[in-house]
Amino acid sequence: MGPPTLAMDKKSSPQLSPDAFKNYHKSQVETQKLFASVSMGKEKPFDFFRVLVDGVIAGGTAGVVVETSLYPIDTIKTRLQAVRGGGKIVLKGLYNGLAGNLAGVLPASAIFVGVYEPTKQKLLKMFPDNLSAFAHLTAGAIGGAASSLIRVPTEVVKTRMQTGQFASAPDAVRLIVRKEGFRGLYAGYSSFLLRDLPFDAMQFCIYEQIRIGYKLAAKRDLNDAENAVIGAFSGALTGAITTPLDVIKTRLMVQGSANQYKGIVDCVKTIVREEGPPALLKGIGPRVLWIGIGGSIFFGVLERTKLLLAQRRDGKQNPEESFKKD
């Protein structure tokens, strides 16, 4: 039997020696592995519990680090959005409500990433590579919806404290429930979902898609600085786009029992009528700055924590080898 060939035409097709054929086959396999590692990772049985636990730990860690670092900027943004007309912004007590907010941010971030990661991996296995953006969008929205049950009460208490309505988180919770009922803790829930579901879906989709393209172009895994830059860009862009939704959410959450607005549509009409359309972009500067820096820190910490967890679990000493398994 002659040596193997890539035969299309016996007269013109080149013949390959056994060694050459093996090298060609090896290069094809390595190319396939590179693409797989960029889009979905190495093929292996899906471990839902492991992905869930890693996501919970990584998400909780990233959420706490971001919130603690950037809370003053968020406070300034909230006060800019809450003030009506030409009111002055108070710059004292920029950390008001931080402790109570962390009590909600930790489980909310843990739940979000804990739901997002396994959902994303399941969807990526279900859909072809050209629909990976749809998988990321859907997973981000599902993660946001799951965490909203904790994020909304946390956001309500934080927003009320940032605007000086309460002195402590326990007082805020007690008085809100007493005056407005349990529903008061979910004030602006629909506007929160209107803002955060698109925000979560867009931010994570942009982040994941840029990482995929960058890894394909660079043909290597990304380092912490590169993950941080991509996270900053995706956060800043998404933050700017969703600023009007954030203004509406803030107004509905801080109105309390006064019920100045009858709903989302009435809130938009009232703001535009009384303050003009530019009021829907109040706080866009601090918001873009806060979410841009926050995205940098969050995704940088998230990826590093996931790497350390995988490294510890697999007993790897080389971070790059551990990272490639994911």
Side-chain angles (χ1 to χ4, degrees):
M1 179 181 292
T5 64
L6 295 176
M8 293 178 62
D9 186 337
K10 290 184 179 179
K11 295 182 179 180
S12 59
S13 297
Q15 290 188 329
L16 297 178
S17 67
D19 289 340
F21 183 84
K22 289 179 180 178
N23 291 334
Y24 174 80
H25 179 70
K26 181 179 180 181
S27 67
Q28 296 301 306
V29 172
E30 288 177 347
T31 300
Q32 293 174 0
K33 286 184 176 180
L34 170 63
F35 186 81
S37 68
V38 170
S39 61
M40 290 177 55
K42 183 180 178 180
E43 285 295 328
K44 54 185 177 181
F46 180 67
D47 189 340
F48 177 85
F49 182 74
R50 177 188 67 79
V51 175
L52 174 65
V53 172
D54 284 3
V56 166
I57 296 173
T61 301
V64 169
V65 172
V66 170
E67 197 68 20
T68 303
S69 303
L70 304 178
Y71 196 78
I73 300 177
D74 183 38
T75 299
I76 294 173
K77 180 271 300 181
T78 300
R79 290 176 181 176
L80 281 170
Q81 293 177 341
V83 67
R84 304 183 67 177
K88 296 182 179 180
I89 306 299
V90 179
L91 296 179
K92 294 182 179 180
L94 296 181
Y95 275 97
N96 285 351
L98 175 61
N101 194 50
L102 289 180
V105 167
L106 176 58
S109 299
I111 290 174
F112 178 88
V113 181
V115 171
Y116 172 80
E117 286 292 339
T119 302
K120 175 189 74 174
Q121 294 196 25
K122 274 290 187 181
L123 291 175
L124 287 174
K125 290 180 181 293
M126 292 171 56
F127 296 121
D129 291 316
N130 61 349
L131 293 180
S132 63
F134 179 75
H136 295 137
L137 279 170
T138 305
I142 292 174
S147 63
S148 67
L149 296 176
I150 295 178
R151 290 166 71 181
V152 172
T154 301
E155 187 81 2
V156 169
V157 172
K158 179 194 75 172
T159 303
R160 302 280 185 93
M161 292 189 65
Q162 287 177 329
T163 53
Q165 296 185 30
F166 303 104
S168 68
D171 287 343
V173 173
R174 185 176 66 254
L175 292 174
I176 289 173
V177 173
R178 180 191 301 173
K179 293 181 179 180
E180 306 168 43
F182 185 75
R183 292 178 59 183
L185 292 173
Y186 285 88
Y189 185 73
S190 57
S191 65
F192 182 90
L193 294 180
L194 179 66
R195 180 200 71 172
D196 274 47
L197 293 191
F199 178 88
D200 292 333
M202 290 171 58
Q203 183 184 30
F204 275 77
C205 179
I206 293 172
Y207 172 76
E208 299 275 17
Q209 291 297 305
I210 293 177
R211 286 188 79 237
I212 289 174
Y214 195 104
K215 290 174 74 174
L216 279 171
K219 297 182 179 180
R220 60 174 175 79
D221 298 305
L222 307 188
N223 58 41
D224 292 343
E226 290 166 332
N227 287 325
V229 170
I230 295 173
F233 175 79
S234 61
L237 178 61
T238 310
I241 294 172
T242 58
T243 294
L245 302 178
D246 190 47
V247 172
I248 297 168
K249 182 273 306 178
T250 299
R251 293 295 182 88
L252 290 173
M253 283 186 169
V254 301
Q255 67 178 336
S257 57
N259 291 324
Q260 297 166 318
Y261 310 108
K262 298 177 182 179
I264 295 174
V265 176
D266 181 61
C267 181
V268 174
K269 290 181 178 179
T270 302
I271 292 174
V272 173
R273 183 178 65 251
E274 296 181 355
E275 305 170 57
L280 291 172
L281 294 177
K282 278 188 172 183
I284 188 172
R287 176 172 169 79
V288 169
L289 176 64
W290 167 56
I291 297 181
I293 298 175
S296 172
I297 298 173
F298 181 87
F299 286 108
V301 173
L302 180 70
E303 298 296 343
R304 171 53 55 175
T305 305
K306 287 164 58 179
L307 169 60
L308 293 176
L309 289 171
Q311 187 178 343
R312 180 178 180 180
R313 181 181 59 253
D314 298 337
K316 296 291 184 182
Q317 296 300 320
N318 184 348
E320 293 299 323
E321 292 180 5
S322 178
F323 186 80
K324 290 176 182 178
K325 291 192 68 177
D326 291 334

